[in-house]
Amino acid sequence: MTGRTTTRVHSAGQMQDQRWHALAFDRCALGGISVYTQIYIGLALYMYSHVSTPGYISILLTIPFALLMLFLAFETAKNTDPNTGVIPFSAGKHFEKPVLFVFLLLHLFNAQLVFTSLGAMLLEVMPEHSLWQLALLITLSLAWANSGRKEDALARLARFLKWVVFLLLLYVALTSMPHGSAAHFFPLLGYGWKTIGSGAVWMCGAVSGCVWPLIRPQDRKSLSPMLERKSRVILIVLLSILAGSAAMAVSVWLMPFFAMAASETMGWRLMPMTHMTPSIPAWSMETVGVLLLFYLALSYNVAQASALLSQIAGRLAASGWMTLLLLLLLMPCAALQYGGILETLSRIAFLRGPVTLILVLMLYLGSVYFRKRKDTSK
C-alpha cells in the first residue's frame, strides 16, 4: 500500500478550529430543534382551533420575520467585543443584567410550554399515572443529567438524536398518508386572511428563538464559524420552519376542520397522527419521537436559562442545583393540566415575537454604537 492520505488538519490549532466549527453548528442545530418544537406545540395550543386548515400558510408567513431577526443577529454578532466575547448593550453597562434577565424569562417561558406539553402528552398515553409524580421524575432526571456536564454535551447529543426524531416522525407521517384526504384542505383559506395573519403573528413568537445561537454572550470562537457560513445558519432555521409547516399540512391531510376545532385535550392534539391511524407501531414511534423532541427542547431551554442566571449572579458556570431550582419552579404549571393554564399560556406566547425583536434591535443599535466608538478611538 503506497497510497497517501490527505488532511486539512496540519496543527493542533487547526484541529481546535475544526472542533469549534462543529460545536457552533451543533448549537445551531439544537436551536433549530427548539424552534421546531415551539412550532409543533403551537399547532396544538393555537393553530388547530384558531386558524384551522390553512395553518401551514401562517407558519410559512413567519419566514420574513425570521430572516429579519437573523439579519439583526448577524450584524450584532459581527461587533462582538473581541476581548470579552460579549455583545455590547445599547443602553450602557448598567442595563446589561436587566436585558439578560428578560432573555432568562423568555427561555423559561419556552421551557414552561415544553414542560406543560410534555406533561399533557404523558397524561394522554399513561392516564393511570399521577402527573405530579411524572413531573417530579422529569425534574429530577433532567437536573441530574445537567449536573456536572459541559454545556457542549447537549449540543453534541442533539447531533445524533435529531436524526432519530426525524426518522421516527417521518415513518409515522408516511404510514398515516393512506388514512387522509386532500378534500380536508378546502376551503384553502379557511376562515380568511384575517385568521391566517393572526396565526402568523402568533407563530412569530414560536420562531423568535432562532437568534439564540448568535446573540447569547459566548466565546468569540463559537461565533466565527457561524459568521463565516451564514447560509448554513439560515438554512437550519428555514428547515425548522418548513418542517413545522409540513407537520401542520400532514395534520390537515388527516383531520377535517371540525376535528381540529373539537374540544380535545392538549395531549390528544399533540399526537393527532396516532388518533387518525390504526397502526400500533406508528403510535409507539410517534410517542417516542415526540418524547425525545420535548426532552431535547426542555433541556436546551433550561440549560440556557441556567447559564443566563449564573451570568447574572456572577458565577462562572451553572450548577445542577440551579437547574433543579428552575425545573421545580416550572413543575406546578406542568402538572396542573386544565384549560385555564393552557389558555393563559396561549395568550402570552405571542408576546415572545415582539419582545425578542425589541431586544435584538437594542443589541444591534448597541453594537453599532460600540463599533463607531471603537473606530473613532483609533
Side-chain angles (χ1 to χ4, degrees):
M1 297 292 291
T2 58
R4 178 181 298 177
T5 59
T6 60
T7 178
R8 295 181 181 179
V9 179
H10 300 285
S11 66
Q14 289 179 330
M15 182 174 66
Q16 191 68 19
D17 289 341
Q18 281 197 351
R19 289 178 176 175
W20 277 112
H21 186 278
L23 176 60
F25 289 107
D26 285 344
R27 288 177 176 175
C28 286
L30 185 57
I33 290 172
S34 178
V35 169
Y36 173 75
T37 305
Q38 294 300 323
I39 294 175
Y40 187 89
I41 293 171
L43 301 183
L45 191 63
Y46 184 88
M47 300 298 286
Y48 292 157
S49 57
H50 292 79
V51 183
S52 190
T53 52
Y56 60 94
I57 301 177
S58 297
I59 298 172
L60 293 176
L61 289 177
T62 64
I63 290 178
F65 175 80
L67 293 178
L68 171 63
M69 295 280 285
L70 287 175
F71 169 77
L72 294 174
F74 277 125
E75 293 300 312
T76 301
K78 285 196 303 187
N79 298 319
T80 301
D81 188 341
N83 297 318
T84 63
V86 175
I87 295 171
F89 290 80
S90 59
K93 196 69 176 178
H94 57 289
F95 275 96
E96 180 175 337
K97 287 187 177 181
V99 173
L100 290 178
F101 182 71
V102 178
F103 284 170
L104 167 65
L105 293 180
L106 288 169
H107 278 296
L108 281 180
F109 184 81
N110 284 344
Q112 184 67 80
L113 279 178
V114 180
F115 203 170
T116 304
S117 300
L118 179 57
M121 190 202 76
L122 292 175
L123 189 62
E124 183 70 20
V125 300
M126 295 187 295
E128 71 280 3
H129 289 78
S130 168
L131 190 53
W132 281 97
Q133 294 177 356
L134 293 174
L136 181 60
L137 178 62
I138 293 169
T139 296
L140 295 176
S141 62
L142 285 183
W144 175 82
N146 284 279
S147 64
R149 307 296 197 276
K150 292 184 178 179
E151 182 187 355
D152 306 341
L154 182 60
R156 287 171 175 148
L157 177 64
R159 181 192 305 179
F160 167 72
L161 282 184
K162 68 176 184 287
W163 295 113
V164 176
V165 173
F166 171 75
L167 292 174
L168 287 171
L169 297 183
L170 179 63
Y171 172 83
V172 178
L174 292 177
T175 56
S176 67
M177 286 302 166
H179 305 279
S181 172
H184 296 163
F185 285 90
F186 296 94
L188 287 175
L189 299 182
Y191 302 119
W193 281 108
K194 184 177 180 181
T195 56
I196 294 174
S198 64
V201 171
W202 195 96
M203 272 295 173
C204 283
V207 305
S208 61
C210 65
V211 298
W212 296 128
L214 289 165
I215 66 172
R216 179 175 174 264
Q218 55 192 305
D219 195 294
R220 180 73 188 186
K221 292 181 180 179
S222 65
L223 278 175
S224 296
M226 302 182 205
L227 297 177
E228 292 170 1
R229 299 188 63 181
K230 296 180 182 178
S231 60
R232 187 170 177 182
V233 179
I234 294 173
L235 179 62
I236 290 173
V237 174
L238 291 181
L239 287 176
S240 302
I241 296 175
L242 292 175
S245 183
M248 181 67 196
V250 171
S251 299
V252 175
W253 173 265
L254 292 173
M255 292 189 293
F257 71 94
F258 55 82
M260 289 188 172
S263 56
E264 301 289 351
T265 64
M266 181 68 175
W268 190 97
R269 291 168 177 264
L270 285 168
M271 299 190 299
M273 288 181 281
T274 62
H275 299 287
M276 298 298 166
T277 62
S279 172
I280 294 178
W283 182 89
S284 302
M285 289 188 177
E286 185 173 22
T287 301
V288 173
V290 174
L291 185 66
L292 289 175
L293 183 69
F294 284 176
Y295 259 101
L296 274 176
L298 180 58
S299 297
Y300 170 74
N301 282 289
V302 171
Q304 293 283 86
S306 183
L308 286 166
L309 184 58
S310 298
Q311 186 175 355
I312 293 172
R315 298 171 61 93
L316 295 178
S319 65
W321 292 108
M322 192 174 295
T323 303
L324 177 61
L325 173 62
L326 293 177
L327 286 167
L328 287 173
L329 290 175
L330 302 177
M331 192 181 77
C333 186
L336 293 171
Q337 291 287 329
Y338 65 90
I341 286 180
L342 297 175
E343 183 65 25
T344 301
L345 291 176
S346 177
R347 290 179 180 274
I348 298 174
F350 88 97
L351 291 173
R352 294 172 295 174
V355 170
T356 307
L357 178 60
I358 291 171
L359 289 176
V360 174
L361 187 59
M362 286 176 56
L363 291 178
Y364 169 73
L365 295 175
S367 67
V368 171
Y369 173 76
F370 173 79
R371 181 180 59 191
K372 289 183 178 179
R373 188 178 63 178
K374 184 175 66 174
D375 292 341
T376 55
S377 64
K378 290 182 179 179

